[in-house]
């Protein structure tokens, strides 16, 4: 790349990083204070960072003619851009902005770590010179990104559920809140009118609600987060994007493997690690069909699932040699 | 007998049991990732310590994906899934129309509207039909119920996903029963035959391209292309030209031949007091060796060095053969007697009158071949599984139970309850919207 092109590449990298940091700070602020202004600042910054990252990858491809996802830098960069994109799409649909600080922080860390692997542009090794790389890699990375966003929701769920348990154990006065606890019929919903905030419809944290009513500041703050049921639904919906994508990623990987290595399944470490993650999320889906297991248990499975994704994505490349370790 | 069969089916159909099997499958799969596969006992003993090494050997963990435990667990999953599908998924997911206690269902609402029962029932039916709900009416003991379904067809998504998994399992079994695979290497100018099908591969030439690339951390030698120029003769006896590259396999009578590796075979020349002595008889590939006749000594060819660094006399970074050499290891019995770097074409003395020369190299190409008649079946299974996943994830089947009852001559009460295959929470918003829309469209009446 000539000097001007390098400058453009560098500038986009700087813009991407800076906007992510700004967005993460603003959205953390929003999470803590619920000031709409912070959200109005954080969300456009997130969008700008995401656009800058896609632009950086796109210009790299355009300027060098080399597909940018053949090394860990490109792949981590796409991971963070897609995480932010998926977050933005869900935030648009389900008012997820309160989660932005977490998602943006993970995205920024992934991006910054990816930059340590930024070797500039290199031609691909023969095994990667295939049109499959343009199909398989983005699909797999999109599934990882979805699981990351779902993981942030799961953490939020577990946090709120743990605090609720603590308040319940402390025996907070349950006056009034008890009546509203548990499943609520639509009659009760309609009494709230058409515009209650996200997650305030169902009260499945009675101890928190009553503590909030009694003026406990932490409880007031936590009660403003979506209900546990709502968090569970969000987590399910995001995993429902990730699981078919991971399945498709494994299938396209198998098709590529058949072409490149002779067999659709070589029992390579990466393939099996992806299969193991897929199994964890299949377990999630099955547990989620049972009302008794929906909630804390499924949230934990989502956390385990994301740990397995991190292992599959980075752990296998770093600690285990195999057919896929050409990335390092 | 029948009872114990029913108990067994009940156990297998239990979701907790199925999920436990899936968890074990996931655990075994991860174990195979963490513990390197296909190594020998000595490797595991060295890597994990003798007791753990022995355990790995005994439990076949070093070959986990082909172990009885692994294949067994997948077999059990198929059985469990089949039992669950017939005893749980089908009856529960595709339930018959039946009356319910509306107030007992968490998502429920009552709306009072003006009009008599018959006209309200008709209006309600068209309200849902206009919004894409499939409306059905049934009479239960003189009470007429209205049922409205959305995405009813998608109730079969789970079934489709489960069938997809069974098809994949069948496809992989076909390979185990009928397929074969293997690998072979051919020297440039030589011919190899695939034993299972008699296909001959005559390697005319192998070529590679490796480019030096300047990176931030120095020069990296990046492989760009490997290509075998071969003549392949299949069952019909006609030789055909084949250019075989990575990612571009050649199909010989249904057996796919892939470019897998390449290497530098070495023509070693051994002499004693100037007279040639046998040294393997053919160019040796990396890892091969020969025993020096009449002695307990052996020479093993370890690896090819493209460029010997002139300044240090040690292997350089450039893998391309500029100033090539080979690393050999000498053995006395089983014990290593040391390694040495030999420049190509320069004889060295081994002592006792022996002289060894790595005379020249011949490029060879390593191929993998595979005949897998199960591939179309696995492909179909993958497609079906994915379709099932998408259907069950993106099309939420919901059912509304509607009961219309008179309050007085002019006011009618509409009771509505909703169920979905994924619980109530997931439908809360939608249900609220539906009820609000119904209230708006009917202009809610207030009875006594
Ligand atoms: C281990 C054996 C298995 C058992 C016992 C089992 C059983 C079940 C049951 C009982 C349901 C829920 C039915 C309902 O609530 O109406 C279900 C749902 C489902 N199963 Fe399985 N299953 C097994 C394995 C699998 C596998 C290997 C797959 C992968 C393809 C799979 C894919 C699905 C899907 C996609 C759903 C729907 C999930 C949802 O609607 O949220 N199952 N399974």
């Amino acid at each position: 790349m000539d000097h001007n092109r390098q400058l453009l590449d560098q500038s986009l990298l700087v813009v991407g990083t800076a906007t992510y940091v700004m967005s993460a700070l603003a959205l953390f602020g929003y999470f803590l204070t619920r000031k709409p202004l912070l959200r109005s600042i954080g969300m456009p910054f997130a969008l700008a960072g995401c656009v800058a990252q896609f632009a950086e990858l796109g210009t790299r491809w355009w300027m060098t003619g080399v597909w940018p996802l053949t090394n860990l830098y490109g792949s981590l960069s796409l991971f963070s851009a897609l995480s932010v994109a998926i977050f933005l799409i869900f935030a648009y649909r389900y008012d997820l902005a309160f989660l932005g600080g977490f998602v943006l922080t993970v995205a920024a860390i992934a991006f910054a770590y990816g930059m340590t692997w930024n070797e500039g542009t290199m031609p691909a090794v023969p095994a990667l010179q295939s049109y499959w790389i343009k199909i398989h890699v983005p699909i797999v990375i999109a599934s990882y990104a979805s699981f990351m966003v779902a993981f942030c929701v799961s953490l939020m769920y577990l946090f709120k559920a743990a605090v609720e348990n603590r308040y319940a154990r402390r025996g907070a006065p349950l006056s009034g809140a008890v009546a509203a606890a548990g499943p609520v019929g639509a009659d009760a919903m309609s009494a709230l009118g058409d515009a209650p905030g996200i997650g305030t419809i169902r009260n499945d944290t009675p101890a928190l609600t009553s503590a909030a009513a009694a003026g406990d500041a932490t409880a007031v703050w936590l009660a403003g987060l979506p209900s546990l049921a709502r968090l569970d639904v969000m987590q399910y919906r995001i995993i429902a994007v990730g699981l078919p994508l991971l399945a498709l990623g494994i299938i396209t990987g198998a098709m590529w493997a058949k072409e490149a290595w002779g067999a659709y399944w070589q029992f390579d470490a990466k393939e099996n690690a992806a299969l193991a993650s897929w199994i964890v999320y299949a377990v999630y889906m099955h547990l989620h069909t049972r009302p008794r297991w929906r909630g804390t248990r499924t949230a934990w499975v989502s956390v385990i699932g994301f740990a397995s994704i991190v292992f599959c994505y980075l752990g296998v490349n770093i600690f285990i040699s195999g057919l896929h370790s050409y990335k390092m | 007998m029948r009872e114990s069969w029913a108990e067994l089916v009940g156990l297998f159909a239990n979701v907790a049991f199925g999920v436990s099997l899936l968890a074990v499958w996931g655990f075994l799969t991860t174990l195979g990732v963490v513990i390197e596969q296909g190594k020998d006992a000595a490797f595991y003993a060295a890597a994990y310590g003798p007791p753990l090494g022995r355990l790995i050997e005994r439990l076949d963990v070093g070959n986990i994906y082909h172990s009885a435990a692994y294949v067994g667990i997948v077999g059990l999953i198929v059985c469990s899934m089949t039992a669950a599908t017939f005893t749980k998924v089908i009856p529960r997911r595709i339930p018959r129309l039946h009356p319910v206690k509306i107030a007992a269902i968490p998502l429920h609402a009552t709306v009072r509207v003006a009009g008599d029962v018959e006209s309200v029932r008709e209006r309600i039916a068209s309200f849902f039909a206009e919004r894409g709900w499939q409306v059905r009416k049934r009479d239960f003991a003189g009470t007429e119920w209205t049922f409205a379904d959305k995405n009813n067809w998608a109730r079969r998504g789970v079934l489709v996903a489960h069938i997809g998994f069974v098809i994949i399992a069948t496809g992989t079994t076909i390979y185990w029963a009928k397929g074969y695979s293997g690998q072979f290497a051919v020297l440039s100018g030589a011919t190899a035959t695939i034993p299972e099908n008699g296909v001959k591969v005559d390697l005319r030439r192998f070529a590679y391209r490796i480019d030096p690339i300047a990176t931030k951390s120095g020069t990296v030698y990046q492989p760009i292309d490997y290509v075998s120029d071969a003549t392949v003769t299949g069952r019909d006896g006609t030789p055909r030209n084949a250019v075989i590259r990575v990612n571009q396999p050649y199909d010989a009578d249904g057996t796919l031949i892939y470019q897998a590796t390449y290497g530098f075979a070495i023509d070693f020349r051994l002499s004693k007091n100037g007279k040639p002595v046998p040294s393997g008889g053919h160019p040796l590939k990396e890892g091969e060796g020969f025993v020096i006749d009449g002695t307990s000594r052996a020479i093993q060819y370890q690896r090819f060095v493209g460029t010997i660094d002139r300044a240090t006399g040690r292997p350089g970074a450039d893998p391309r053969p500029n100033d090539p050499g080979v690393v050999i290891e000498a053995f006395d019995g089983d014990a290593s007697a040391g390694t040495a770097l030999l420049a190509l074409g320069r004889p060295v003395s081994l002592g006792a009158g022996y002289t060894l020369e790595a005379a020249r190299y011949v490029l060879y190409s390593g191929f993998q071949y595979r005949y897998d008649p199960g591939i179309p079946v696995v492909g179909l299974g993958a497609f079906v599984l994915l379709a099932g996943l998408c259907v069950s994830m993106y099309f939420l089947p919901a059912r509304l139970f509607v009961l219309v009852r008179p309050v007085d001559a002019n006011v009618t009460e509409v009771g509505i309850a909703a169920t979905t295959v994924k619980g109530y929470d997931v439908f809360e918003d939608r249900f609220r919207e539906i009820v609000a829309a119904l209230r708006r469209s009917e202009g809610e009446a207030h009875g006594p």
Side-chain angles (χ1 to χ4, degrees):
Chain A
M1 271 198 276
D2 64 32
H3 181 69
N4 283 344
R5 290 173 170 195
Q6 261 177 15
L7 205 66
L8 178 59
D9 191 63
Q10 289 297 322
S11 313
L12 287 169
L13 283 179
V14 172
V15 171
T17 321
T19 44
Y20 278 172
V21 172
M22 295 292 289
S23 170
L25 288 175
L27 291 174
F28 260 129
Y30 172 66
F31 174 67
L32 295 172
T33 65
R34 309 278 154 71
K35 289 215 169 82
L37 175 70
L38 289 169
R39 177 183 135 148
S40 314
I41 296 172
M43 297 302 273
F45 267 120
L47 183 64
C50 185
V51 170
Q53 263 200 298
F54 276 116
E56 194 269 335
L57 288 171
T59 43
R60 227 173 227 230
W61 186 24
W62 168 64
M63 290 187 304
T64 61
V66 178
W67 180 246
L69 304 182
T70 52
N71 56 30
L72 198 60
Y73 162 71
S75 128
L76 277 167
S77 182
L78 183 68
F79 169 74
S80 61
L82 281 175
S83 307
V84 177
I86 288 169
F87 160 71
L88 287 170
I89 292 167
F90 272 89
Y92 176 71
R93 178 80 180 75
Y94 297 106
D95 195 8
L96 264 190
F98 69 94
L99 205 68
F102 299 90
V103 175
L104 267 291
T105 303
V106 180
I109 291 172
F111 189 28
Y113 176 62
M115 277 197 260
T116 64
W117 293 95
N118 186 3
E119 283 286 345
T121 49
M122 297 242 281
V125 296
L128 295 180
Q129 293 164 21
S130 163
Y131 59 94
W132 280 113
I133 194 170
K134 297 188 178 119
I135 302 169
H136 169 67
V137 177
I139 293 174
V140 173
I141 304 277
S143 79
Y144 294 172
S146 320
F147 293 137
M148 191 274 267
V149 180
F151 164 75
C152 293
V153 180
S154 313
L155 287 186
M156 195 68 70
Y157 184 102
L158 292 170
F159 174 61
K160 192 169 180 190
V163 179
E164 163 68 11
N165 280 345
R166 176 173 289 194
Y167 274 82
R169 255 186 277 123
R170 247 202 249 160
L174 295 179
S175 61
V178 174
V184 178
D187 281 352
M189 293 176 199
S190 59
L192 292 168
D194 273 349
I198 274 276
T200 54
I201 300 164
R202 168 193 277 262
N203 178 11
D204 47 16
T205 46
L208 268 175
T209 311
S210 63
D216 182 313
T218 317
V220 170
W221 177 74
L222 271 170
L225 286 177
S227 67
L228 291 178
R230 182 61 59 119
L231 286 169
D232 176 71
V233 169
M234 285 178 191
Q235 174 194 264
Y236 169 80
R237 290 219 153 105
I238 305 171
I239 291 178
V241 171
L243 183 62
L245 277 175
L246 184 60
L248 187 61
I250 293 175
I251 293 167
T252 52
M255 289 162 91
W256 183 5
K258 183 182 152 295
E259 230 172 86
W261 302 325
Y264 58 83
W265 201 261
Q266 288 278 61
F267 297 100
D268 167 51
K270 191 86 164 182
E271 289 172 344
N272 286 312
L275 174 64
S277 297
W278 187 86
I279 296 170
V280 176
Y281 285 104
V283 165
Y284 172 93
M285 279 299 161
H286 282 90
L287 290 183
H288 201 265
T289 60
R290 306 261 84 70
R292 226 162 20 97
W293 294 334
R294 212 176 283 148
T296 308
R297 282 182 219 197
T298 42
W300 275 115
V301 176
S302 161
V303 170
I304 295 169
F306 186 63
S308 80
I309 290 287
V310 172
F311 174 67
C312 170
Y313 190 10
L314 302 175
V316 169
N317 291 45
I318 293 167
F319 299 114
I320 292 157
S321 69
L323 295 166
H324 271 86
S325 43
Y326 37 59
K327 285 221 183 83
M328 297 279 154
Chain B
M1 177 71 190
R2 194 172 293 165
E3 260 173 34
S4 38
W5 172 251
E7 261 175 35
L8 188 71
V9 172
L11 170 70
F12 271 69
N14 187 317
V15 186
F17 181 74
V19 162
S20 314
L21 289 179
L22 284 175
V24 174
W25 183 30
F27 173 73
L28 294 182
T29 305
T30 310
L31 208 58
V33 176
V34 177
I35 292 173
E36 234 183 295
Q37 297 292 291
K39 302 284 178 195
D40 58 16
F43 173 87
Y44 294 121
Y48 302 102
L52 223 57
R54 267 197 302 279
L55 198 67
I56 290 173
E57 275 294 294
R58 197 155 311 148
L59 298 179
D60 210 5
V61 178
N63 183 29
I64 200 160
Y65 301 114
H66 298 94
S67 66
Y70 198 84
V71 177
I73 206 82
V74 175
L76 283 177
I77 288 173
V78 171
C79 295
S80 163
M81 215 171 61
T82 310
T85 302
F86 286 108
T87 63
K88 293 223 166 90
V89 175
I90 294 178
R92 197 181 292 153
R93 293 234 158 195
I94 311 175
R96 269 171 298 179
L97 300 176
H98 59 91
V100 292
K101 276 205 183 83
I102 288 196
I105 292 182
L107 286 185
H108 72 269
T110 44
V111 182
R112 289 188 167 190
V113 300
D116 63 290
V117 169
E118 274 317 306
S119 66
V120 169
R121 196 174 281 140
E122 284 319 306
R123 290 208 310 267
I124 296 286
S126 38
F127 172 86
F128 286 117
E130 276 163 20
R131 284 162 180 78
W133 293 77
Q134 178 199 2
V135 178
R136 286 176 288 179
K137 291 182 186 151
R138 292 285 183 282
D139 193 304
F140 295 100
T143 311
E144 188 163 330
W145 280 80
T146 305
F147 300 93
D149 279 285
K150 224 352 135 29
N151 297 329
N152 207 19
W153 61 275
R155 289 177 182 270
R156 286 141 193 98
V158 179
L159 192 62
V160 175
H162 286 180
I163 290 174
F165 189 75
V166 175
I167 300 177
I168 294 178
T170 312
T172 50
T173 314
I174 293 177
Y175 168 71
W176 284 18
K178 295 209 164 146
Y180 54 78
S181 64
Q183 52 197 29
F184 62 92
V186 208
L187 297 180
S188 305
T191 302
T193 304
I194 297 178
E196 287 91 344
N197 62 4
V199 168
K200 282 196 177 62
V201 179
D202 180 0
L203 181 66
R204 286 199 301 271
R205 205 172 86 89
F206 174 81
Y208 61 85
R209 200 181 121 200
I210 296 176
D211 283 356
I213 313 271
T215 69
K216 283 181 192 156
S217 48
T219 303
V220 171
Y221 292 88
Q222 180 90 335
I224 305 292
D225 199 9
Y226 308 132
V227 49
S228 292
D229 207 347
T231 306
V232 178
T233 312
R235 259 196 299 269
D236 64 1
T238 314
R240 291 186 176 84
N241 282 343
V243 176
I244 309 175
R245 285 194 148 89
V246 178
N247 282 321
Q248 292 169 27
Y250 182 81
D251 185 337
D253 298 338
T255 299
L256 291 171
I257 304 172
Y258 305 87
Q259 180 68 58
T261 57
Y262 74 97
F264 297 82
I266 301 292
D267 207 352
F268 282 101
R269 296 203 183 137
L270 182 68
S271 57
K272 186 172 186 192
N273 301 327
K275 285 206 193 102
V277 177
S279 55
H282 57 85
L284 302 184
K285 299 185 199 76
E286 294 85 342
E288 292 180 339
F290 58 88
V291 177
I292 301 174
D293 263 3
T295 72
S296 60
R297 298 209 152 207
I299 300 289
Q300 190 187 42
Y301 164 36
Q302 283 202 325
R303 68 186 175 91
F304 184 76
V305 173
T307 310
I308 298 175
D309 186 330
R310 292 210 177 156
T312 61
R314 301 175 67 80
D318 191 347
R320 296 167 300 178
N322 302 312
D323 190 356
V326 294
V327 177
I328 57 161
E329 183 165 10
F331 287 90
D332 196 354
D334 278 343
S336 172
T339 58
L341 174 61
L342 264 60
L344 233 65
R346 266 177 257 159
V348 291
S349 164
L350 298 181
Y354 285 100
T355 306
L356 180 66
E357 181 192 352
R360 60 176 192 122
Y361 70 82
V362 187
L363 271 169
Y364 69 86
S365 181
F367 295 104
Q368 276 178 16
Y369 62 91
R370 191 171 174 98
Y371 170 68
D372 185 349
I375 286 181
V377 180
V378 173
L380 173 73
F383 177 76
V384 172
L385 169 60
L386 193 62
L389 277 181
C390 291
V391 168
S392 42
M393 256 127 254
Y394 304 135
F395 298 90
L396 177 67
R399 173 165 294 172
L400 300 177
F401 301 79
V402 184
L403 186 60
V404 178
R405 275 186 306 211
V407 176
D408 61 28
N410 260 332
V411 178
T412 301
E413 189 181 78
V414 182
I416 311 174
T419 60
T420 80
V421 295
K422 294 188 208 304
Y424 304 107
D425 300 327
V426 79
F427 202 62
E428 214 171 58
D429 289 352
R430 225 12 232 121
F431 189 66
R432 209 155 53 95
E433 283 164 21
I434 292 165
V435 173
L438 186 66
R439 285 199 162 107
R440 274 198 303 278
S441 112
E442 288 294 332
E444 191 162 5
H446 295 281

